[in-house]
mmCIF file of all heavy atoms in Angstrom:
data_model
loop_
_atom_site.group_PDB
_atom_site.id
_atom_site.type_symbol
_atom_site.label_atom_id
_atom_site.label_comp_id
_atom_site.label_asym_id
_atom_site.label_seq_id
_atom_site.Cartn_x
_atom_site.Cartn_y
_atom_site.Cartn_z
ATOM 1 N N LYS A 110 25.952 -19.713 1.297
ATOM 2 C CA LYS A 110 24.669 -19.385 0.675
ATOM 3 C C LYS A 110 23.995 -20.645 0.145
ATOM 4 O O LYS A 110 22.767 -20.784 0.213
ATOM 5 C CB LYS A 110 24.857 -18.369 -0.445
ATOM 6 C CG LYS A 110 25.091 -16.945 0.024
ATOM 7 C CD LYS A 110 25.060 -15.979 -1.147
ATOM 8 C CE LYS A 110 25.226 -14.535 -0.684
ATOM 9 N NZ LYS A 110 25.172 -13.568 -1.797
ATOM 10 N N GLU A 111 24.793 -21.552 -0.393
ATOM 11 C CA GLU A 111 24.223 -22.792 -0.921
ATOM 12 C C GLU A 111 23.592 -23.616 0.196
ATOM 13 O O GLU A 111 22.495 -24.162 0.031
ATOM 14 C CB GLU A 111 25.301 -23.613 -1.634
ATOM 15 C CG GLU A 111 24.767 -24.905 -2.244
ATOM 16 C CD GLU A 111 25.842 -25.677 -2.984
ATOM 17 O OE1 GLU A 111 26.379 -25.110 -3.973
ATOM 18 O OE2 GLU A 111 26.152 -26.818 -2.584
ATOM 19 N N GLU A 112 24.250 -23.722 1.340
ATOM 20 C CA GLU A 112 23.705 -24.480 2.464
ATOM 21 C C GLU A 112 22.415 -23.854 2.985
ATOM 22 O O GLU A 112 21.452 -24.563 3.336
ATOM 23 C CB GLU A 112 24.736 -24.577 3.590
ATOM 24 C CG GLU A 112 25.919 -25.466 3.273
ATOM 25 C CD GLU A 112 27.000 -25.372 4.330
ATOM 26 O OE1 GLU A 112 27.286 -24.249 4.807
ATOM 27 O OE2 GLU A 112 27.581 -26.421 4.668
ATOM 28 N N ILE A 113 22.380 -22.527 3.037
ATOM 29 C CA ILE A 113 21.162 -21.836 3.486
ATOM 30 C C ILE A 113 20.038 -22.067 2.481
ATOM 31 O O ILE A 113 18.893 -22.352 2.857
ATOM 32 C CB ILE A 113 21.430 -20.329 3.661
ATOM 33 C CG1 ILE A 113 22.461 -20.101 4.766
ATOM 34 C CG2 ILE A 113 20.139 -19.584 3.983
ATOM 35 C CD1 ILE A 113 22.929 -18.669 4.892
ATOM 36 N N MET A 114 20.355 -21.987 1.212
ATOM 37 C CA MET A 114 19.365 -22.220 0.166
ATOM 38 C C MET A 114 18.772 -23.623 0.274
ATOM 39 O O MET A 114 17.544 -23.806 0.192
ATOM 40 C CB MET A 114 20.001 -22.018 -1.209
ATOM 41 C CG MET A 114 19.059 -22.246 -2.367
ATOM 42 S SD MET A 114 19.914 -22.208 -3.972
ATOM 43 C CE MET A 114 20.746 -23.811 -3.931
ATOM 44 N N VAL A 115 19.619 -24.611 0.480
ATOM 45 C CA VAL A 115 19.161 -26.002 0.599
ATOM 46 C C VAL A 115 18.248 -26.169 1.809
ATOM 47 O O VAL A 115 17.215 -26.847 1.741
ATOM 48 C CB VAL A 115 20.367 -26.957 0.677
ATOM 49 C CG1 VAL A 115 19.927 -28.357 1.125
ATOM 50 C CG2 VAL A 115 21.071 -27.032 -0.667
ATOM 51 N N TYR A 116 18.596 -25.530 2.918
ATOM 52 C CA TYR A 116 17.781 -25.615 4.138
ATOM 53 C C TYR A 116 16.358 -25.130 3.866
ATOM 54 O O TYR A 116 15.373 -25.791 4.227
ATOM 55 C CB TYR A 116 18.418 -24.787 5.247
ATOM 56 C CG TYR A 116 17.546 -24.622 6.473
ATOM 57 C CD1 TYR A 116 17.483 -25.621 7.442
ATOM 58 C CD2 TYR A 116 16.782 -23.463 6.664
ATOM 59 C CE1 TYR A 116 16.679 -25.467 8.572
ATOM 60 C CE2 TYR A 116 15.981 -23.311 7.779
ATOM 61 C CZ TYR A 116 15.932 -24.318 8.739
ATOM 62 O OH TYR A 116 15.128 -24.169 9.842
ATOM 63 N N PHE A 117 16.226 -23.981 3.214
ATOM 64 C CA PHE A 117 14.895 -23.437 2.955
ATOM 65 C C PHE A 117 14.165 -24.207 1.866
ATOM 66 O O PHE A 117 12.944 -24.399 1.942
ATOM 67 C CB PHE A 117 14.990 -21.947 2.610
ATOM 68 C CG PHE A 117 15.270 -21.097 3.801
ATOM 69 C CD1 PHE A 117 16.520 -20.549 4.011
ATOM 70 C CD2 PHE A 117 14.280 -20.862 4.751
ATOM 71 C CE1 PHE A 117 16.782 -19.777 5.141
ATOM 72 C CE2 PHE A 117 14.530 -20.097 5.876
ATOM 73 C CZ PHE A 117 15.790 -19.551 6.072
ATOM 74 N N LEU A 118 14.894 -24.671 0.884
ATOM 75 C CA LEU A 118 14.280 -25.468 -0.175
ATOM 76 C C LEU A 118 13.630 -26.719 0.416
ATOM 77 O O LEU A 118 12.463 -27.024 0.139
ATOM 78 C CB LEU A 118 15.351 -25.849 -1.203
ATOM 79 C CG LEU A 118 14.882 -26.424 -2.534
ATOM 80 C CD1 LEU A 118 14.080 -25.396 -3.317
ATOM 81 C CD2 LEU A 118 16.093 -26.884 -3.354
ATOM 82 N N ILE A 119 14.363 -27.430 1.242
ATOM 83 C CA ILE A 119 13.827 -28.643 1.869
ATOM 84 C C ILE A 119 12.679 -28.291 2.816
ATOM 85 O O ILE A 119 11.653 -28.988 2.859
ATOM 86 C CB ILE A 119 14.942 -29.405 2.612
ATOM 87 C CG1 ILE A 119 15.924 -30.014 1.594
ATOM 88 C CG2 ILE A 119 14.358 -30.508 3.506
ATOM 89 C CD1 ILE A 119 17.146 -30.648 2.211
ATOM 90 N N SER A 120 12.810 -27.204 3.570
ATOM 91 C CA SER A 120 11.749 -26.794 4.494
ATOM 92 C C SER A 120 10.448 -26.515 3.749
ATOM 93 O O SER A 120 9.363 -26.871 4.219
ATOM 94 C CB SER A 120 12.177 -25.545 5.274
ATOM 95 O OG SER A 120 13.290 -25.818 6.107
ATOM 96 N N TYR A 121 10.533 -25.890 2.575
ATOM 97 C CA TYR A 121 9.337 -25.595 1.780
ATOM 98 C C TYR A 121 8.690 -26.885 1.270
ATOM 99 O O TYR A 121 7.456 -27.039 1.325
ATOM 100 C CB TYR A 121 9.698 -24.683 0.607
ATOM 101 C CG TYR A 121 9.594 -23.207 0.907
ATOM 102 C CD1 TYR A 121 10.253 -22.642 1.994
ATOM 103 C CD2 TYR A 121 8.853 -22.356 0.110
ATOM 104 C CE1 TYR A 121 10.170 -21.291 2.279
ATOM 105 C CE2 TYR A 121 8.755 -20.994 0.372
ATOM 106 C CZ TYR A 121 9.424 -20.477 1.467
ATOM 107 O OH TYR A 121 9.327 -19.139 1.741
ATOM 108 N N PHE A 122 9.512 -27.790 0.770
ATOM 109 C CA PHE A 122 8.961 -29.067 0.298
ATOM 110 C C PHE A 122 8.343 -29.853 1.452
ATOM 111 O O PHE A 122 7.269 -30.457 1.301
ATOM 112 C CB PHE A 122 10.047 -29.898 -0.397
ATOM 113 C CG PHE A 122 10.232 -29.571 -1.850
ATOM 114 C CD1 PHE A 122 11.403 -28.980 -2.296
ATOM 115 C CD2 PHE A 122 9.234 -29.851 -2.770
ATOM 116 C CE1 PHE A 122 11.575 -28.676 -3.646
ATOM 117 C CE2 PHE A 122 9.387 -29.547 -4.123
ATOM 118 C CZ PHE A 122 10.566 -28.958 -4.555
ATOM 119 N N GLU A 123 8.990 -29.845 2.605
ATOM 120 C CA GLU A 123 8.441 -30.549 3.759
ATOM 121 C C GLU A 123 7.114 -29.941 4.199
ATOM 122 O O GLU A 123 6.181 -30.658 4.575
ATOM 123 C CB GLU A 123 9.439 -30.539 4.910
ATOM 124 C CG GLU A 123 10.619 -31.471 4.699
ATOM 125 C CD GLU A 123 11.563 -31.483 5.881
ATOM 126 O OE1 GLU A 123 11.641 -30.470 6.606
ATOM 127 O OE2 GLU A 123 12.238 -32.512 6.087
ATOM 128 N N PHE A 124 7.016 -28.624 4.155
ATOM 129 C CA PHE A 124 5.768 -27.967 4.537
ATOM 130 C C PHE A 124 4.614 -28.464 3.666
ATOM 131 O O PHE A 124 3.537 -28.804 4.173
ATOM 132 C CB PHE A 124 5.917 -26.453 4.406
ATOM 133 C CG PHE A 124 4.705 -25.685 4.863
ATOM 134 C CD1 PHE A 124 4.557 -25.325 6.196
ATOM 135 C CD2 PHE A 124 3.706 -25.332 3.970
ATOM 136 C CE1 PHE A 124 3.440 -24.628 6.626
ATOM 137 C CE2 PHE A 124 2.582 -24.626 4.386
ATOM 138 C CZ PHE A 124 2.447 -24.274 5.723
ATOM 139 N N LEU A 125 4.834 -28.534 2.361
ATOM 140 C CA LEU A 125 3.789 -29.017 1.454
ATOM 141 C C LEU A 125 3.466 -30.483 1.718
ATOM 142 O O LEU A 125 2.290 -30.880 1.709
ATOM 143 C CB LEU A 125 4.231 -28.830 0.002
ATOM 144 C CG LEU A 125 4.411 -27.388 -0.481
ATOM 145 C CD1 LEU A 125 4.923 -27.371 -1.921
ATOM 146 C CD2 LEU A 125 3.114 -26.605 -0.380
ATOM 147 N N LEU A 126 4.492 -31.285 1.945
ATOM 148 C CA LEU A 126 4.279 -32.709 2.215
ATOM 149 C C LEU A 126 3.487 -32.911 3.501
ATOM 150 O O LEU A 126 2.547 -33.725 3.549
ATOM 151 C CB LEU A 126 5.628 -33.426 2.305
ATOM 152 C CG LEU A 126 5.581 -34.922 2.657
ATOM 153 C CD1 LEU A 126 4.812 -35.705 1.595
ATOM 154 C CD2 LEU A 126 7.000 -35.475 2.816
ATOM 155 N N PHE A 127 3.846 -32.170 4.545
ATOM 156 C CA PHE A 127 3.168 -32.330 5.832
ATOM 157 C C PHE A 127 1.727 -31.830 5.768
ATOM 158 O O PHE A 127 0.835 -32.397 6.405
ATOM 159 C CB PHE A 127 3.938 -31.603 6.930
ATOM 160 C CG PHE A 127 5.329 -32.146 7.162
ATOM 161 C CD1 PHE A 127 6.283 -31.389 7.852
ATOM 162 C CD2 PHE A 127 5.705 -33.385 6.690
ATOM 163 C CE1 PHE A 127 7.558 -31.878 8.068
ATOM 164 C CE2 PHE A 127 6.990 -33.890 6.894
ATOM 165 C CZ PHE A 127 7.911 -33.126 7.580
ATOM 166 N N GLU A 128 1.483 -30.777 4.990
ATOM 167 C CA GLU A 128 0.118 -30.300 4.807
ATOM 168 C C GLU A 128 -0.734 -31.367 4.118
ATOM 169 O O GLU A 128 -1.911 -31.540 4.441
ATOM 170 C CB GLU A 128 0.106 -29.017 3.971
ATOM 171 C CG GLU A 128 0.537 -27.774 4.718
ATOM 172 C CD GLU A 128 -0.486 -27.340 5.757
ATOM 173 O OE1 GLU A 128 -1.645 -27.082 5.376
ATOM 174 O OE2 GLU A 128 -0.121 -27.265 6.950
ATOM 175 N N LYS A 129 -0.142 -32.084 3.182
ATOM 176 C CA LYS A 129 -0.882 -33.088 2.417
ATOM 177 C C LYS A 129 -1.145 -34.352 3.226
ATOM 178 O O LYS A 129 -2.187 -35.003 3.066
ATOM 179 C CB LYS A 129 -0.106 -33.446 1.141
ATOM 180 C CG LYS A 129 -0.882 -34.331 0.172
ATOM 181 C CD LYS A 129 -0.170 -34.453 -1.148
ATOM 182 C CE LYS A 129 -1.032 -35.194 -2.166
ATOM 183 N NZ LYS A 129 -2.280 -34.463 -2.485
ATOM 184 N N THR A 130 -0.218 -34.709 4.117
ATOM 185 C CA THR A 130 -0.322 -35.995 4.826
ATOM 186 C C THR A 130 -0.849 -35.873 6.248
ATOM 187 O O THR A 130 -1.155 -36.891 6.878
ATOM 188 C CB THR A 130 1.059 -36.677 4.879
ATOM 189 O OG1 THR A 130 1.988 -35.809 5.553
ATOM 190 C CG2 THR A 130 1.575 -36.986 3.472
ATOM 191 N N GLY A 131 -0.940 -34.654 6.782
ATOM 192 C CA GLY A 131 -1.411 -34.478 8.155
ATOM 193 C C GLY A 131 -0.339 -34.606 9.210
ATOM 194 O O GLY A 131 -0.628 -34.580 10.409
ATOM 195 N N TYR A 132 0.912 -34.730 8.783
ATOM 196 C CA TYR A 132 2.023 -34.798 9.738
ATOM 197 C C TYR A 132 2.198 -33.437 10.421
ATOM 198 O O TYR A 132 1.881 -32.400 9.843
ATOM 199 C CB TYR A 132 3.302 -35.175 8.979
ATOM 200 C CG TYR A 132 4.508 -35.473 9.853
ATOM 201 C CD1 TYR A 132 4.611 -36.686 10.525
ATOM 202 C CD2 TYR A 132 5.543 -34.550 9.980
ATOM 203 C CE1 TYR A 132 5.727 -36.974 11.298
ATOM 204 C CE2 TYR A 132 6.656 -34.823 10.755
ATOM 205 C CZ TYR A 132 6.732 -36.046 11.414
ATOM 206 O OH TYR A 132 7.836 -36.324 12.188
ATOM 207 N N ARG A 133 2.674 -33.462 11.662
ATOM 208 C CA ARG A 133 2.854 -32.202 12.406
ATOM 209 C C ARG A 133 3.713 -31.216 11.622
ATOM 210 O O ARG A 133 4.824 -31.526 11.220
ATOM 211 C CB ARG A 133 3.527 -32.499 13.760
ATOM 212 C CG ARG A 133 3.608 -31.268 14.666
ATOM 213 C CD ARG A 133 4.378 -31.594 15.919
ATOM 214 N NE ARG A 133 5.795 -31.758 15.641
ATOM 215 C CZ ARG A 133 6.674 -32.280 16.493
ATOM 216 N NH1 ARG A 133 6.264 -32.719 17.656
ATOM 217 N NH2 ARG A 133 7.952 -32.380 16.168
ATOM 218 N N ASN A 134 3.164 -30.028 11.420
ATOM 219 C CA ASN A 134 3.818 -29.048 10.543
ATOM 220 C C ASN A 134 4.266 -27.848 11.362
ATOM 221 O O ASN A 134 3.549 -26.861 11.489
ATOM 222 C CB ASN A 134 2.852 -28.614 9.443
ATOM 223 C CG ASN A 134 3.569 -28.285 8.143
ATOM 224 O OD1 ASN A 134 4.794 -28.222 8.105
ATOM 225 N ND2 ASN A 134 2.814 -28.074 7.084
ATOM 226 N N ASP A 135 5.466 -27.915 11.927
ATOM 227 C CA ASP A 135 5.987 -26.809 12.717
ATOM 228 C C ASP A 135 6.343 -25.635 11.806
ATOM 229 O O ASP A 135 6.801 -25.826 10.674
ATOM 230 C CB ASP A 135 7.245 -27.242 13.488
ATOM 231 C CG ASP A 135 6.933 -28.291 14.548
ATOM 232 O OD1 ASP A 135 5.782 -28.302 15.036
ATOM 233 O OD2 ASP A 135 7.820 -29.094 14.876
ATOM 234 N N ASN A 136 6.112 -24.437 12.326
ATOM 235 C CA ASN A 136 6.443 -23.222 11.578
ATOM 236 C C ASN A 136 7.772 -22.685 12.093
ATOM 237 O O ASN A 136 7.850 -22.094 13.161
ATOM 238 C CB ASN A 136 5.334 -22.169 11.751
ATOM 239 C CG ASN A 136 5.353 -21.126 10.656
ATOM 240 O OD1 ASN A 136 6.300 -21.036 9.882
ATOM 241 N ND2 ASN A 136 4.297 -20.330 10.596
ATOM 242 N N HIS A 137 8.837 -22.911 11.327
ATOM 243 C CA HIS A 137 10.181 -22.571 11.779
ATOM 244 C C HIS A 137 10.350 -21.055 11.932
ATOM 245 O O HIS A 137 9.791 -20.269 11.175
ATOM 246 C CB HIS A 137 11.230 -23.081 10.797
ATOM 247 C CG HIS A 137 11.138 -24.550 10.540
ATOM 248 N ND1 HIS A 137 11.283 -25.488 11.532
ATOM 249 C CD2 HIS A 137 10.903 -25.249 9.400
ATOM 250 C CE1 HIS A 137 11.165 -26.700 11.023
ATOM 251 N NE2 HIS A 137 10.921 -26.583 9.729
ATOM 252 N N MET A 138 11.157 -20.665 12.914
ATOM 253 C CA MET A 138 11.510 -19.257 13.080
ATOM 254 C C MET A 138 12.738 -18.930 12.233
ATOM 255 O O MET A 138 13.625 -19.766 12.038
ATOM 256 C CB MET A 138 11.813 -18.949 14.547
ATOM 257 C CG MET A 138 10.602 -19.024 15.468
ATOM 258 S SD MET A 138 9.338 -17.811 15.068
ATOM 259 C CE MET A 138 10.200 -16.271 15.451
ATOM 260 N N VAL A 139 12.776 -17.694 11.747
ATOM 261 C CA VAL A 139 13.914 -17.186 10.986
ATOM 262 C C VAL A 139 14.431 -15.953 11.715
ATOM 263 O O VAL A 139 13.668 -15.034 12.019
ATOM 264 C CB VAL A 139 13.509 -16.820 9.546
ATOM 265 C CG1 VAL A 139 14.710 -16.275 8.783
ATOM 266 C CG2 VAL A 139 12.904 -18.025 8.834
ATOM 267 N N TYR A 140 15.748 -15.934 12.007
ATOM 268 C CA TYR A 140 16.364 -14.818 12.727
ATOM 269 C C TYR A 140 17.326 -14.089 11.785
ATOM 270 O O TYR A 140 18.143 -14.721 11.102
ATOM 271 C CB TYR A 140 17.129 -15.325 13.951
ATOM 272 C CG TYR A 140 16.241 -16.032 14.942
ATOM 273 C CD1 TYR A 140 16.042 -17.411 14.858
ATOM 274 C CD2 TYR A 140 15.585 -15.334 15.953
ATOM 275 C CE1 TYR A 140 15.210 -18.068 15.752
ATOM 276 C CE2 TYR A 140 14.765 -15.977 16.855
ATOM 277 C CZ TYR A 140 14.574 -17.339 16.753
ATOM 278 O OH TYR A 140 13.747 -17.985 17.635
ATOM 279 N N LEU A 141 17.225 -12.779 11.759
ATOM 280 C CA LEU A 141 18.116 -11.984 10.921
ATOM 281 C C LEU A 141 19.357 -11.580 11.710
ATOM 282 O O LEU A 141 19.352 -11.591 12.946
ATOM 283 C CB LEU A 141 17.400 -10.736 10.412
ATOM 284 C CG LEU A 141 16.058 -10.941 9.710
ATOM 285 C CD1 LEU A 141 15.649 -9.660 8.989
ATOM 286 C CD2 LEU A 141 16.088 -12.116 8.759
ATOM 287 N N LYS A 142 20.398 -11.226 10.996
ATOM 288 C CA LYS A 142 21.614 -10.757 11.645
ATOM 289 C C LYS A 142 21.311 -9.482 12.428
ATOM 290 O O LYS A 142 20.427 -8.712 12.070
ATOM 291 C CB LYS A 142 22.702 -10.525 10.601
ATOM 292 C CG LYS A 142 23.164 -11.838 9.960
ATOM 293 C CD LYS A 142 24.192 -11.615 8.866
ATOM 294 C CE LYS A 142 24.629 -12.951 8.258
ATOM 295 N NZ LYS A 142 25.574 -12.784 7.133
ATOM 296 N N GLU A 143 22.058 -9.263 13.507
ATOM 297 C CA GLU A 143 21.734 -8.247 14.512
ATOM 298 C C GLU A 143 21.481 -6.855 13.942
ATOM 299 O O GLU A 143 20.571 -6.164 14.372
ATOM 300 C CB GLU A 143 22.850 -8.173 15.563
ATOM 301 C CG GLU A 143 22.908 -9.377 16.492
ATOM 302 C CD GLU A 143 21.765 -9.410 17.503
ATOM 303 O OE1 GLU A 143 21.030 -8.421 17.601
ATOM 304 O OE2 GLU A 143 21.606 -10.426 18.185
ATOM 305 N N GLU A 144 22.265 -6.412 13.012
ATOM 306 C CA GLU A 144 22.155 -5.032 12.537
ATOM 307 C C GLU A 144 21.281 -4.888 11.293
ATOM 308 O O GLU A 144 21.212 -3.808 10.702
ATOM 309 C CB GLU A 144 23.558 -4.474 12.243
ATOM 310 C CG GLU A 144 24.534 -4.579 13.412
ATOM 311 C CD GLU A 144 24.008 -3.906 14.677
ATOM 312 O OE1 GLU A 144 23.342 -2.855 14.560
ATOM 313 O OE2 GLU A 144 24.249 -4.440 15.776
ATOM 314 N N THR A 145 20.612 -5.953 10.893
ATOM 315 C CA THR A 145 19.799 -5.907 9.673
ATOM 316 C C THR A 145 18.495 -5.151 9.903
ATOM 317 O O THR A 145 17.782 -5.403 10.883
ATOM 318 C CB THR A 145 19.480 -7.336 9.192
ATOM 319 O OG1 THR A 145 20.703 -8.031 8.914
ATOM 320 C CG2 THR A 145 18.623 -7.302 7.930
ATOM 321 N N ASN A 146 18.200 -4.235 9.002
ATOM 322 C CA ASN A 146 16.911 -3.544 8.974
ATOM 323 C C ASN A 146 16.226 -3.847 7.649
ATOM 324 O O ASN A 146 16.889 -4.119 6.644
ATOM 325 C CB ASN A 146 17.103 -2.031 9.121
ATOM 326 C CG ASN A 146 17.743 -1.663 10.441
ATOM 327 O OD1 ASN A 146 17.163 -1.847 11.500
ATOM 328 N ND2 ASN A 146 18.971 -1.140 10.375
ATOM 329 N N ILE A 147 14.911 -3.807 7.650
ATOM 330 C CA ILE A 147 14.139 -4.100 6.441
ATOM 331 C C ILE A 147 13.503 -2.810 5.937
ATOM 332 O O ILE A 147 12.649 -2.219 6.608
ATOM 333 C CB ILE A 147 13.051 -5.152 6.720
ATOM 334 C CG1 ILE A 147 13.673 -6.462 7.215
ATOM 335 C CG2 ILE A 147 12.199 -5.388 5.468
ATOM 336 C CD1 ILE A 147 14.616 -7.129 6.238
ATOM 337 N N ASP A 148 13.926 -2.364 4.759
ATOM 338 C CA ASP A 148 13.363 -1.150 4.174
ATOM 339 C C ASP A 148 11.877 -1.344 3.877
ATOM 340 O O ASP A 148 11.413 -2.459 3.622
ATOM 341 C CB ASP A 148 14.085 -0.802 2.871
ATOM 342 C CG ASP A 148 15.537 -0.408 3.105
ATOM 343 O OD1 ASP A 148 15.855 0.003 4.231
ATOM 344 O OD2 ASP A 148 16.342 -0.531 2.156
ATOM 345 N N ALA A 149 11.157 -0.239 3.869
ATOM 346 C CA ALA A 149 9.710 -0.292 3.646
ATOM 347 C C ALA A 149 9.354 -0.943 2.313
ATOM 348 O O ALA A 149 8.326 -1.617 2.206
ATOM 349 C CB ALA A 149 9.136 1.122 3.724
ATOM 350 N N ASN A 150 10.206 -0.760 1.298
ATOM 351 C CA ASN A 150 9.878 -1.323 -0.023
ATOM 352 C C ASN A 150 10.015 -2.840 -0.073
ATOM 353 O O ASN A 150 9.680 -3.460 -1.085
ATOM 354 C CB ASN A 150 10.735 -0.669 -1.119
ATOM 355 C CG ASN A 150 12.231 -0.874 -0.910
ATOM 356 O OD1 ASN A 150 12.654 -1.697 -0.112
ATOM 357 N ND2 ASN A 150 13.029 -0.107 -1.634
ATOM 358 N N ARG A 151 10.502 -3.444 1.021
ATOM 359 C CA ARG A 151 10.590 -4.912 1.066
ATOM 360 C C ARG A 151 9.425 -5.535 1.834
ATOM 361 O O ARG A 151 9.359 -6.744 1.985
ATOM 362 C CB ARG A 151 11.917 -5.343 1.692
ATOM 363 C CG ARG A 151 13.100 -5.127 0.770
ATOM 364 C CD ARG A 151 14.225 -6.075 1.117
ATOM 365 N NE ARG A 151 15.178 -5.489 2.031
ATOM 366 C CZ ARG A 151 16.053 -6.194 2.746
ATOM 367 N NH1 ARG A 151 16.066 -7.496 2.679
ATOM 368 N NH2 ARG A 151 16.902 -5.584 3.552
ATOM 369 N N ILE A 152 8.519 -4.716 2.326
ATOM 370 C CA ILE A 152 7.328 -5.255 2.979
ATOM 371 C C ILE A 152 6.356 -5.713 1.895
ATOM 372 O O ILE A 152 5.954 -4.934 1.031
ATOM 373 C CB ILE A 152 6.673 -4.211 3.896
ATOM 374 C CG1 ILE A 152 7.615 -3.914 5.079
ATOM 375 C CG2 ILE A 152 5.326 -4.704 4.400
ATOM 376 C CD1 ILE A 152 7.098 -2.870 6.033
ATOM 377 N N VAL A 153 5.983 -6.978 1.945
ATOM 378 C CA VAL A 153 5.110 -7.569 0.928
ATOM 379 C C VAL A 153 3.653 -7.317 1.254
ATOM 380 O O VAL A 153 2.856 -6.966 0.380
ATOM 381 C CB VAL A 153 5.379 -9.090 0.806
ATOM 382 C CG1 VAL A 153 4.445 -9.720 -0.216
ATOM 383 C CG2 VAL A 153 6.832 -9.351 0.453
ATOM 384 N N GLN A 154 3.296 -7.518 2.513
ATOM 385 C CA GLN A 154 1.920 -7.257 2.935
ATOM 386 C C GLN A 154 1.846 -7.154 4.450
ATOM 387 O O GLN A 154 2.724 -7.649 5.162
ATOM 388 C CB GLN A 154 0.959 -8.347 2.446
ATOM 389 C CG GLN A 154 1.121 -9.688 3.154
ATOM 390 C CD GLN A 154 0.010 -10.675 2.821
ATOM 391 O OE1 GLN A 154 -0.632 -10.608 1.786
ATOM 392 N NE2 GLN A 154 -0.213 -11.623 3.715
ATOM 393 N N ILE A 155 0.797 -6.502 4.941
ATOM 394 C CA ILE A 155 0.475 -6.468 6.361
ATOM 395 C C ILE A 155 -0.967 -6.946 6.499
ATOM 396 O O ILE A 155 -1.880 -6.347 5.917
ATOM 397 C CB ILE A 155 0.637 -5.068 6.960
ATOM 398 C CG1 ILE A 155 2.103 -4.606 6.840
ATOM 399 C CG2 ILE A 155 0.207 -5.052 8.434
ATOM 400 C CD1 ILE A 155 2.368 -3.205 7.350
ATOM 401 N N ARG A 156 -1.165 -8.020 7.221
ATOM 402 C CA ARG A 156 -2.493 -8.622 7.348
ATOM 403 C C ARG A 156 -2.951 -8.593 8.808
ATOM 404 O O ARG A 156 -2.209 -8.969 9.703
ATOM 405 C CB ARG A 156 -2.464 -10.080 6.849
ATOM 406 C CG ARG A 156 -3.780 -10.827 7.007
ATOM 407 C CD ARG A 156 -3.723 -12.174 6.313
ATOM 408 N NE ARG A 156 -2.794 -13.101 6.941
ATOM 409 C CZ ARG A 156 -3.112 -13.938 7.929
ATOM 410 N NH1 ARG A 156 -4.330 -13.945 8.445
ATOM 411 N NH2 ARG A 156 -2.200 -14.781 8.420
ATOM 412 N N LYS A 157 -4.171 -8.154 9.015
ATOM 413 C CA LYS A 157 -4.741 -8.155 10.370
ATOM 414 C C LYS A 157 -5.058 -9.580 10.805
ATOM 415 O O LYS A 157 -5.549 -10.377 9.997
ATOM 416 C CB LYS A 157 -6.020 -7.311 10.421
ATOM 417 C CG LYS A 157 -5.803 -5.830 10.161
ATOM 418 C CD LYS A 157 -7.124 -5.077 10.218
ATOM 419 C CE LYS A 157 -6.925 -3.601 9.916
ATOM 420 N NZ LYS A 157 -8.212 -2.851 9.952
#
């Protein structure tokens, strides 16, 4: 969990840095474990 946390922490900081400096800002994909489902109460928003 600590290694996963560090990965996302650095990715978030890099995103802000790249937005500020104009460096190429790739949008990383996140894959969930095969049997994971997301309950409706965990949906934050749906945007057109």
Side-chain angles (χ1 to χ4, degrees):
K110 284 188 177 181
E111 182 178 298
E112 290 172 319
I113 296 172
M114 180 188 75
V115 167
Y116 170 82
F117 286 105
L118 193 64
I119 290 173
S120 296
Y121 270 54
F122 274 113
E123 287 182 332
F124 184 87
L125 295 177
L126 177 61
F127 297 162
E128 284 290 302
K129 188 170 187 64
T130 59
Y132 188 77
R133 187 185 71 193
N134 212 351
D135 294 333
N136 200 348
H137 304 299
M138 292 297 294
V139 179
Y140 299 91
L141 307 193
K142 293 177 180 177
E143 289 287 351
E144 306 304 324
T145 300
N146 298 294
I147 300 299
D148 294 337
N150 60 14
R151 287 205 266 162
I152 293 178
V153 178
Q154 71 170 25
I155 298 177
R156 177 172 67 89
K157 295 179 182 179

